[in-house]
Amino acid sequence: MAPQQTVATSGTAESPARSDETGAALPGDTETFWALHGLVDHLGREGGVTYTGYTTPPGGTDPVAWQMGLSSAGLAQIDFAEAAGSLAALGHPVRLQLLQAIYEGTSTVAELGKDERFGTSGQIYHHVHALAGAGWLESARRGHWRVPAQRIVPLLTLVLIGTH
């Protein structure tokens, strides 16, 4: 079975914007925009931003569920610069490849070192420690790394943003 993919944009000719009972302009296609309609139902006219996910990581047995959101008023209180450290750690292609390999089940620097994309063990340790310092990796046990459960959906959300 091929994976289902939904790419949604607002206000296109295929799904014209309409106003809901709160007066908010929403895309009319409630099948495609079910999450957006739920957000407006929950937060009302003020709105906000949310991301959510439910997935079982490769090789995992337990699903991970995560939801984060802020109202528009809450978003107005954020200093965007606070995100710099976390986002900067992801700003290197090798780090993203390392995260993907670890997410998919490779857990040690020795295993990662078998893949020439990642460079020397010293370079791998440098990248792994930068990712761990930013909270994108944690030590599962001595010498073994994993993406923390609470970071899986945020990481996948950022990858989705960056690729679509």
Side-chain angles (χ1 to χ4, degrees):
M1 175 192 258
Q4 182 179 4
Q5 180 176 343
T6 300
V7 178
T9 59
S10 64
T12 65
E14 294 80 30
S15 46
R18 67 168 179 79
S19 293
D20 73 350
E21 50 281 344
T22 69
L26 290 174
D29 180 1
T30 58
E31 285 297 311
T32 301
F33 293 96
W34 56 271
L36 181 59
H37 284 265
L39 175 68
V40 173
D41 288 346
H42 184 73
L43 294 177
R45 187 177 182 98
E46 175 192 359
V49 174
T50 188
Y51 61 92
T52 184
Y54 180 84
T55 187
T56 301
T61 57
D62 297 324
V64 174
W66 184 260
Q67 176 177 308
M68 173 61 188
L70 283 175
S71 66
S72 293
L75 290 165
Q77 302 299 313
I78 292 177
D79 177 0
F80 284 19
E82 291 178 20
S86 182
L87 294 175
L90 299 176
H92 194 290
V94 170
R95 289 184 187 164
L96 290 170
Q97 290 174 322
L98 282 167
L99 273 171
Q100 183 176 8
I102 292 169
Y103 169 74
E104 292 173 348
T106 304
S107 69
T108 67
V109 171
E111 292 170 333
L112 294 166
K114 294 176 184 174
D115 188 327
E116 62 186 39
R117 296 176 300 165
F118 303 140
T120 67
S121 61
Q123 291 169 320
I124 295 169
Y125 275 112
H126 169 77
H127 290 305
V128 164
H129 288 151
L131 290 165
W136 293 108
L137 289 178
E138 68 183 5
S139 178
R141 61 183 194 275
R142 186 164 174 82
H144 293 261
W145 297 93
R146 67 178 172 214
V147 178
Q150 71 272 19
R151 288 295 219 158
I152 290 173
V153 171
L155 174 62
L156 296 175
T157 301
L158 288 170
V159 170
L160 183 63
I161 291 167
T163 58
H164 287 82

